[in-house]
Amino acid sequence: MCGRYDLNESPRLLALWFRLAAEPSAYANPDVRPGNSAPVIRLADGRRLAVPARWGLIPSWAKDEAIARHTFNARGETVSGKPSFRAAFRGRRCIVPVSAFFEWQAIPGERRKRKLRFAAADGHPLALAGLWERWIHPGTGEVVDSFTIITTGANGLMAPIHDRMPVILAADDWDAWLDPETANPLLLQSMLTPCPDEVLTVAG
C-alpha cells in the first residue's frame, strides 16, 4: 500500500521535470496523508498541469464522502474492473508527484516500527500512477476533485518490508498514461508493474 508521502519540490522544478504547461502553486508537505489536498498532474484542455485534489478517491456516483477512507489506494491488478475506479481508469488517469514515499518496517523485539523513506536514486521526483475523479456534493453543490494512488506487488527492494508498493511510472509512459485517448487496456495494464530495484533508494 501507499499511505504517506512527502512532496517538497519547487514549482519551477516540478514544471521542468514533468514538462508542465505552467508552474503550479507552491506546495510543501513532508507528511501527506489520506484526506489531505495535494497536487496531481493531469491533462486539462490538452495541457499538462499540476492541480490540487484530495487524497482518497470519491466516485462521481457516491452518496457521500465516506468512501474516501477506503479508496486512497487502488490495486493495479483489479483497478480496471472495480466499480470505484473503472471509470477513472478508462479516462481520468493522473500522475501523483512525490519527493518520497514512506513504509514502516517491523523490528524484532521492538514495539515501534521503523519509518523508511523511499526516494528516487537519481534525486528527481517520483511519478506515481494515479486516478482522479470529480464529485459534486449532493447537498451543497461543492465540487471535489480527488485522487487515488495505484499499487502493485513489491519489487526486490520493498519485499522484505511490505508486499505492496506504489506504481512508479517510467518517463516514457507519462504521455500515454495521461492521455484519456489511450484506450488499450493491455497497454495501460503493462505500466502497472513494480519498478526495477535500482530506481529507488531507501533510508531510515
Side-chain angles (χ1 to χ4, degrees):
M1 63 177 293
C2 179
R4 302 264 277 279
Y5 69 86
D6 166 20
L7 179 59
N8 188 20
E9 311 288 350
S10 72
R12 178 170 174 75
L13 187 147
L14 287 176
L16 290 172
W17 181 244
F18 289 107
R19 305 190 296 275
L20 305 181
E23 288 190 10
S25 300
Y27 181 91
N29 188 342
D31 190 22
V32 186
R33 304 178 180 214
N36 291 169
S37 180
V40 299
I41 296 166
R42 59 183 178 87
L43 290 186
D45 298 323
R47 303 167 73 226
R48 190 183 292 184
L49 299 172
V51 296
R54 187 189 303 174
W55 190 8
L57 188 137
I58 309 172
S60 60
W61 45 260
K63 294 180 179 179
D64 57 44
E65 303 171 56
I67 192 172
R69 294 196 298 268
H70 309 289
T71 56
F72 59 90
N73 283 166
R75 293 177 67 93
E77 299 88 340
T78 58
V79 66
S80 64
K82 287 284 187 181
S84 297
F85 305 121
R86 62 190 176 200
F89 183 71
R90 284 196 299 267
R92 286 182 292 278
R93 296 176 297 273
C94 64
I95 288 171
V96 182
V98 310
S99 301
F101 63 91
F102 300 104
E103 194 51 74
W104 281 257
Q105 182 181 34
I107 306 298
E110 295 186 16
R111 246 190 293 183
R112 293 189 63 183
K113 293 183 177 181
R114 180 171 62 154
K115 185 178 182 181
L116 299 176
R117 185 177 190 269
F118 292 84
D122 62 10
H124 291 122
L126 293 167
L128 306 190
L131 309 174
W132 72 276
E133 270 286 11
R134 177 161 291 166
W135 177 74
I136 300 175
H137 193 291
T140 66
E142 177 191 8
V143 176
V144 178
D145 284 354
S146 62
F147 71 95
T148 188
I149 292 172
I150 301 176
T151 67
T152 185
N155 65 11
L157 180 69
M158 178 65 72
I161 299 153
H162 200 281
D163 62 352
R164 305 290 297 175
M165 67 182 297
V167 172
I168 299 168
L169 295 169
D172 289 345
D173 290 333
W174 295 353
D175 284 340
W177 179 257
L178 292 173
D179 188 350
E181 298 301 316
T182 303
N184 185 332
L186 294 179
L187 173 62
L188 294 169
Q189 206 69 45
S190 72
M191 303 178 195
L192 305 182
T193 57
C195 68
D197 294 355
E198 61 270 19
V199 168
L200 295 173
T201 184
V202 58

